[in-house]
Amino acid sequence: MTDTDSPLLVRLEDGVLTLTLNRPDKLNSFNEPMHLALRAAMERAHAEKEIRAVLITGSGRAFCAGQDLGDRDPRKMDGPPDLGRTLDTFYNPTLRLIRSLEKPVIAAVNGVAAGAGANVALACDIVLAARSAKFIQAFSKIGLTPDAGGSWSLTRLLGEARAKGLALTAEPLTAERAESWGLIWKAVDDDALMTEAVALAQKFASGPTRGLGLTKTSIQAASENDFDTQIDFERDTQRTAGRTRDYAEGVAAFLDKRAPEFKGE
Ligand code: T3D
């Protein structure tokens, strides 16, 4: 197998770890090797200081069509599969790694994102989508229920009415409507998607990484905390941010009227 045949293409450049889901003839649906490769890449993003932003996208015309249903053919199985186990083993650890990474994770949704594929994108911090892309909660079509964090993301971002509408009907949601509903950050012209996504990832990777990571953590905590708890949380994160070298550099650069040189420290 050459590198270009592997189910996940991994490239580290200028502090940006770009992960390309790479099973285009199966619309980048998840099989076991792809699950394991994505998890390993996210573990690497946690471990390596040089990595200051992550960008996830797909090869070919799709972002990701969720689980590879070829691996779930009931006619080739002894009995029903334990899908709870596959979530525990594959999706959930990776989702936790995405959410807990104290660095920005961008999804560049280059085409259809269905089932768990849609919800892995929604677990990322910034979702940019090509105008032609669609988000499909495909689960109800095959008798399943939203997973990969979808029931959580949809309900929090859209409210119950739209979350239930999308999950129960499996109607495709266009990128533009996803943006206008506040489900994603931005829909962009197809041919501008990767340029815009890479530029944003590079901006993050040359930014104050600790401050950006703490910002992510703080926004995530806000959806669980009441106001009092959250302003205490802000006090603690600001205390940590105020001790970073990048904060000192940011203020010094402002006072010197020059561009800051953040080191991610
Ligand atoms: O199982 C567990 O571990 C639990 C976790 C479950 C998580 C899940 O994600 S469940 C939901 C699984 N995903 C789906 O149900 C989506 C299935 N795909 C589709 O509905 C459609 O393919 C799309 C709407 C995404 C795109 O439609 P379209 O018309 O643009 O493309 P297509 O012709 O349907 O697909 C193109 C090829 O990709 C085709 O193969 P072929 O005929 O050219 O050889 C199709 O079979 C293949 N493909 C698409 N999605 C999957 C897939 N192959 C395997 N698994 C897929 N999910």
Side-chain angles (χ1 to χ4, degrees):
M1 186 164 78
T2 66
D3 277 356
T4 50
D5 292 331
S6 70
L8 186 76
L9 307 180
V10 179
R11 192 159 53 96
L12 175 59
E13 201 175 341
D14 298 332
V16 178
L17 187 71
T18 302
L19 307 176
T20 306
L21 306 173
N22 188 39
R23 304 182 67 229
D25 53 334
K26 301 283 181 196
L27 303 191
N28 304 321
S29 55
F30 277 98
N31 63 0
E32 241 178 83
M34 196 166 98
H35 274 298
L36 294 175
L38 184 59
R39 191 207 304 170
M42 288 309 304
E43 281 166 350
R44 183 179 164 197
H46 275 254
E48 292 182 19
K49 198 166 157 266
E50 298 68 34
I51 297 172
R52 294 169 65 185
V54 177
L55 172 58
I56 304 178
T57 191
S59 289
R61 72 177 176 92
F63 176 73
C64 174
Q67 183 62 36
D68 186 329
L69 297 177
D71 291 344
R72 297 284 181 269
D73 186 343
R75 294 157 300 192
K76 297 180 184 159
M77 290 178 175
D78 274 347
D82 178 355
L83 298 186
R85 194 194 68 81
T86 74
L87 294 180
D88 259 349
T89 309
F90 297 114
Y91 288 100
N92 293 357
T94 300
L95 291 159
R96 290 190 174 107
L97 287 165
I98 292 173
R99 293 276 299 178
S100 63
L101 181 67
E102 283 199 355
K103 302 169 187 177
V105 182
I106 299 172
V109 179
N110 52 303
V112 66
N119 295 337
V120 167
L122 297 179
C124 297
D125 305 310
I126 299 268
V127 186
L128 295 176
R131 235 171 267 290
S132 66
K134 290 186 171 52
F135 295 83
I136 310 176
Q137 295 296 317
F139 308 93
S140 60
K141 284 191 169 178
I142 55 170
L144 289 186
T145 172
D147 63 17
S151 59
W152 190 92
S153 309
L154 293 172
T155 310
R156 274 189 169 62
L157 295 169
L158 301 179
E160 246 187 70
R162 284 172 169 165
K164 284 179 179 163
L166 292 174
L168 293 170
T169 67
E171 275 181 24
L173 184 73
T174 63
E176 282 184 358
R177 183 162 286 188
E179 178 190 323
S180 72
W181 282 6
L183 185 65
I184 65 168
W185 172 234
K186 233 196 240 186
V188 299
D189 290 342
D190 288 24
D191 55 8
L193 176 71
M194 286 317 290
T195 314
E196 226 177 281
V198 169
L200 186 59
Q202 284 174 344
K203 183 179 165 177
F204 288 147
S206 56
T209 308
R210 290 284 289 130
L212 296 177
L214 291 165
T215 300
K216 164 176 177 171
T217 309
S218 178
I219 302 283
Q220 288 179 182
S223 63
E224 315 291 338
N225 287 339
D226 60 27
F227 185 77
D228 267 352
T229 311
Q230 185 64 17
I231 58 175
D232 284 347
F233 191 89
E234 288 179 355
R235 175 205 57 214
D236 295 341
T237 48
Q238 201 69 303
R239 182 172 284 145
T240 306
R243 288 175 178 151
T244 63
R245 286 193 196 175
D246 282 342
Y247 165 67
E249 166 62 8
V251 175
F254 175 79
L255 296 174
D256 294 349
K257 299 190 188 305
R258 61 174 172 81
E261 280 183 48
F262 294 121
K263 300 273 194 270
E265 292 166 357

